[in-house]
Each structure stands twice: as C-alpha cells, then as structure tokens.
Amino acid sequence: QVRLVESGGGLAQAGGFLRLSCAASGRTFSRNAMGWFRQAPGKEREFVASINWSSAGTVYADSVKGRFTISRDNAKNSVYLQMNSLKPEDTAVYYCAASSTWGATSMVATDYDYWGQGTQVTVSS
C-alpha cells in the first residue's frame, strides 16, 4: 500500500517559517515528479510547488515564488517544502502529492496519483 505522510505543519507568525516533510512508503518515487498543493477554507485546492525526479527542475506558484523552496531526497523517498516569510494568506491544509507516470514537474493536480492526508499550516498576523 502506497502512503504519503506529511509532517511539520503548525502555527507560525507572519514573517516566520515552517518546513514541511513528506515521507513516501510502499513504492519508490525516485523517477517521478512530486509536489505540494494547498487548500484554504472555502477555496479550491491550488498548486504550490513541484519538483522533477532528479531535482534539476522546480516550478512554483507565483504566490509563493521567492519565499518557498521545494526539495527532495530520493534516498529517503521524501519531499520537503521550506516556507519562509510566511503570510496569513498561506494558511491552508498542505498536501503532498506524487506522480506514478510523470518525471517532469507538473502544476496539474490530475497528473498526481498519490496524495497525503494533509497537514495544517496556520499563519497569524
């Protein structure tokens, strides 16, 4: 059974930082794209960041560009999201995602086949 488990969410002040981790088990994703999405209350799930299989390529939503950094460790079958200069509008449930077919980055949720259960990030002003 494939599982993605996020950790590292919590409460932060505006201007602060958090680091999210996502550990995959049940299969390896070393040749597959991984990404982060988020969903705020009353809003649709939105793309945050994606990283290709080799870490050579990354893509970010305009709203987080320059503040968030996605990275991965294929030896640990894990992906990370370093979030700096947090804003109250970053408050959301953050989901880790992994593709079973794509190696390149993708901003499209339907390109990802596996999802974590989500971790809450709350940024206070």
Side-chain angles (χ1 to χ4, degrees), residues 18-43:
L18 286 171
R19 179 178 168 85
L20 303 184
S21 299
C22 172
S25 61
R27 63 158 284 177
T28 179
F29 290 101
S30 61
R31 294 293 183 179
N32 302 100
M34 299 187 78
W36 290 93
F37 289 74
R38 67 186 182 186
Q39 187 167 18
K43 295 187 177 181

Side-chain angles (χ1 to χ4, degrees), residues 26-82:
R27 63 158 284 177
T28 179
F29 290 101
S30 61
R31 294 293 183 179
N32 302 100
M34 299 187 78
W36 290 93
F37 289 74
R38 67 186 182 186
Q39 187 167 18
K43 295 187 177 181
E44 294 187 352
R45 188 172 300 190
E46 65 174 2
F47 169 77
V48 175
S50 176
I51 187 167
N52 81 329
W53 70 275
S54 68
S55 300
T58 57
V59 62
Y60 298 91
D62 288 342
S63 59
V64 307
K65 202 172 294 182
R67 300 187 298 120
F68 290 10
T69 302
I70 188 172
S71 61
R72 67 190 295 165
D73 185 337
N74 286 342
K76 295 183 178 180
N77 215 20
S78 295
V79 64
Y80 309 96
L81 187 68
Q82 178 68 40

